Amino acid sequence: MADIPISCALLSVFDKNLLIPFAQLLSDYNVKLLSTGGTARALTEAGLEVTDVSDYTGFPEMMDGRVKSLNPLIHGGILARRNDEAHCELMTQHNIIPIDLVVSNLYPFEEIVRKGAEFSQCIENIDIGGPALIRSAAKNHEFVTVVTDPQDYEFVMKEMQEKAGATTVGLRKRLAATAFERTAAYDALIARWLQKTIDNKFPRRFTFTGNLKQILRYGENPHQA
């Protein structure tokens, strides 16, 4: 696996923190920007040229935003193996653009639940398209860079600046692992919440997740008196 130049990026985020400087760098490297909904509006308002996913796929956002990026033109562009002749022929046949970078973070399901929202509101904040994009990109990290946390923008920007607009397999693999960690934690939270709504104290599977707070030195105990 080699360095992969980024020529087309799909950006679809709830958390828009640090998004514009990152997208501006992509634009500086002549990366084609695809986007959805509020993300597309934010990029356009910042003066960036962006193609709405609906214009690219020929299908509008529908069902109150439940269906936006779930389309073969999108997932074909993410999942296609660039060194597979059959995959490349299918992309050409169906006018599928290879997508080299996916930037996506998820609806704030955790926050909505913590605030005690109604059941129906919690359901509408279960992200479907985002995890699908993230998992597709992470699976195909041999060719695709995936970013799920704004804190990781700087690492991609640094590599693109050092590698003439490309990313290394080392970074892509690390970001893919982070991506699967995120979707796993997200699904685990949703499952626990649903089990609580039916008062099921003993589900078939228990999944425990957490966030790294501190890296300790050998023998160090922060709770030691």
Side-chain angles (χ1 to χ4, degrees):
M1 291 186 283
D3 297 350
I4 301 294
I6 295 174
S7 59
C8 180
L10 172 59
L11 303 94
S12 181
V13 298
F14 182 87
D15 181 358
K16 297 175 179 58
N17 184 41
L18 304 177
L19 174 67
I20 300 306
F22 182 49
Q24 183 61 64
L25 177 83
L26 296 176
S27 180
D28 291 343
Y29 279 92
N30 297 315
V31 175
K32 177 181 179 63
L33 304 181
L34 298 174
S35 192
T36 62
T39 307
R41 286 192 296 273
L43 296 173
T44 300
E45 290 170 2
L48 294 168
E49 184 176 346
V50 58
T51 299
D52 194 286
V53 163
S54 296
D55 294 330
Y56 169 53
T57 62
F59 283 89
E61 292 187 17
M62 59 183 67
M63 301 175 185
D64 301 316
R66 285 187 168 202
V67 180
K68 291 183 284 190
S69 57
L70 298 171
N71 188 286
L73 288 175
I74 297 299
H75 286 274
I78 297 171
L79 284 164
R81 293 180 57 81
R82 315 302 201 259
N83 59 358
D84 186 306
E85 184 177 342
H87 286 202
C88 293
E89 288 179 356
L90 283 169
M91 283 195 290
T92 299
Q93 179 182 344
H94 296 287
N95 297 315
I96 296 174
I97 299 173
I99 297 173
D100 312 301
L101 169 66
V102 171
V103 182
S104 182
N105 51 62
L106 308 177
Y107 293 167
F109 183 83
E110 301 99 322
E111 182 180 343
I112 294 297
V113 170
R114 279 197 300 267
K115 290 180 177 179
E118 296 290 333
F119 182 87
S120 60
Q121 186 180 0
C122 292
I123 289 292
E124 290 308 314
N125 276 276
I126 296 176
D127 202 324
I128 300 300
L133 291 173
I134 290 168
R135 288 174 59 82
S136 290
K139 174 176 180 173
N140 204 27
H141 66 268
E142 183 177 357
F143 306 100
V144 180
T145 305
V146 58
V147 183
T148 58
D149 189 328
Q151 294 183 20
D152 291 329
Y153 292 162
E154 64 175 301
F155 300 117
V156 178
M157 294 169 72
K158 185 174 184 293
E159 278 216 341
M160 289 183 68
Q161 291 167 336
E162 293 176 351
K163 300 289 184 178
T167 61
T168 64
V169 64
L171 178 63
R172 295 195 301 277
K173 187 176 290 187
R174 179 159 61 89
L175 291 173
T178 298
F180 280 121
E181 289 167 4
R182 178 64 184 119
T183 57
Y186 194 73
D187 285 341
L189 177 65
I190 295 168
R192 288 198 300 271
W193 170 75
L194 276 173
Q195 294 290 3
K196 287 181 180 179
T197 67
I198 57 175
D199 197 29
N200 184 2
K201 296 182 176 61
F202 301 101
R204 294 180 183 178
R205 294 180 178 86
F206 286 92
T207 304
F208 298 95
T209 64
N211 297 317
L212 178 66
K213 294 295 184 183
Q214 182 180 357
I215 297 177
L216 303 180
R217 293 174 296 182
Y218 178 77
E220 184 177 37
N221 182 355
H223 302 293
Q224 187 173 8

